[in-house]
Amino acid sequence: MNYALIRLLFIGYCLLSSLSSFAQNELTGYDLGRLFFDSVRCDGRMVQMAFRCHPKFSDRCFVGYREYGRCAIDTLTAGRIVLPDSVTDDEGQRRHVWALGRQAFAHCRHVTEVVMPDDMQEIGDQAFYGCTALREVTLPLALRVIYPFAFRGCSSLSIVRVKVPTKQFGIYDNVFDQQTLDRATLIVPTGTIEQYSESLVFGMFRYRTEDFQ
């Protein structure tokens, strides 16, 4: 038996496991943070939503539990949800709504739109996974990154509106379904359509136009 080869294979396995763990930690971003609830507007009524405090910045929070299998609201919630710029935590402190956590609205099959504040910076992995009634999304002005599978399974998504120049933020290549790339219209800021056409992800949208409003 070649023990040197076995040892080399074992070291390689450990290295790959470490890299995989590192990637997962990067995707998670931070420790979960303290859980609290606040009300947000949905089609003229208020609904309860879960948030988690940012463990490093006392003035920030994430939308959702940031755990697989748990979304921020009751999955039967229907309509257009408007996220505020800030919410009040369980200790009475105002916190800036900084990001959508993983699976924040996953499998909320009756939500048609989620309006995000302009200064939101991250959209977590699978944030809108399986939102089959989601028709329109506007990517925030301060957005820095969209994590994998954020809009997978959004079979009704017909408009993806972007407010920010494409080079300002990162996006994984598996964020959208092929169906969305083939059917939805990408609306980009005036004068940036060439930038988006050259983008690895946004360039795959069949229908692209500029927002002339």
Side-chain angles (χ1 to χ4, degrees):
M1 182 178 294
N2 191 331
Y3 290 101
L5 179 59
I6 294 175
R7 184 171 183 272
L8 183 62
L9 290 173
F10 178 75
I11 292 173
Y13 172 79
C14 291
L15 179 60
L16 287 174
S17 297
S18 297
L19 288 174
S20 176
S21 176
F22 173 76
Q24 183 64 37
N25 287 336
E26 282 297 292
L27 190 63
T28 302
Y30 305 97
D31 295 333
L32 288 177
R34 193 177 76 253
L35 179 68
F36 69 94
F37 298 86
D38 202 357
S39 298
V40 300
R41 188 168 299 280
C42 178
D43 280 352
R45 66 187 189 281
M46 304 302 289
V47 297
Q48 282 287 100
M49 182 172 290
F51 296 87
R52 281 199 183 273
C53 300
H54 195 302
K56 290 191 175 182
F57 300 96
S58 61
D59 62 339
R60 299 180 184 180
C61 67
F62 299 86
V63 175
Y65 289 87
R66 302 182 71 212
E67 301 172 7
Y68 287 119
R70 304 186 75 182
C71 64
I73 57 174
D74 187 325
T75 55
L76 296 179
T77 302
R80 180 177 185 263
I81 296 173
V82 179
L83 295 176
D85 294 328
S86 62
V87 292
T88 303
D89 68 17
D90 55 336
E91 296 180 351
Q93 180 177 338
R94 295 296 292 177
R95 288 183 178 266
H96 165 58
V97 181
W98 183 74
L100 295 183
R102 62 170 32 142
Q103 292 197 335
F105 298 103
H107 303 293
C108 292
R109 296 183 174 87
H110 307 287
V111 171
T112 57
E113 184 181 358
V114 176
V115 180
M116 293 171 270
D118 273 343
D119 50 359
M120 179 172 282
Q121 296 185 27
E122 293 187 5
I123 296 176
D125 55 310
Q126 302 184 35
F128 294 95
Y129 191 93
C131 290
T132 53
L134 188 70
R135 297 193 298 260
E136 180 176 345
V137 63
T138 299
L139 302 181
L141 189 61
L143 188 65
R144 295 193 310 168
V145 62
I146 307 177
Y147 285 109
F149 308 110
F151 296 98
R152 286 296 185 102
C154 298
S155 54
S156 299
L157 190 57
S158 60
I159 296 177
V160 177
R161 188 184 304 272
V162 187
K163 293 185 176 182
V164 60
T166 183
K167 293 181 179 179
Q168 181 171 319
F169 67 95
I171 180 171
Y172 286 75
D173 61 3
N174 52 4
V175 165
F176 299 101
D177 282 328
Q178 188 61 47
Q179 176 180 317
T180 299
L181 298 173
D182 290 340
R183 299 181 183 180
T185 299
L186 177 70
I187 304 176
V188 302
T190 303
T192 65
I193 196 164
E194 289 188 10
Q195 286 184 41
Y196 279 95
S197 297
E198 295 171 357
S199 165
L200 177 64
V201 176
F202 293 113
M204 295 176 67
F205 276 83
R206 179 175 297 180
Y207 305 105
R208 301 185 295 271
T209 187
E210 293 185 352
D211 189 350
F212 295 105
Q213 295 183 359

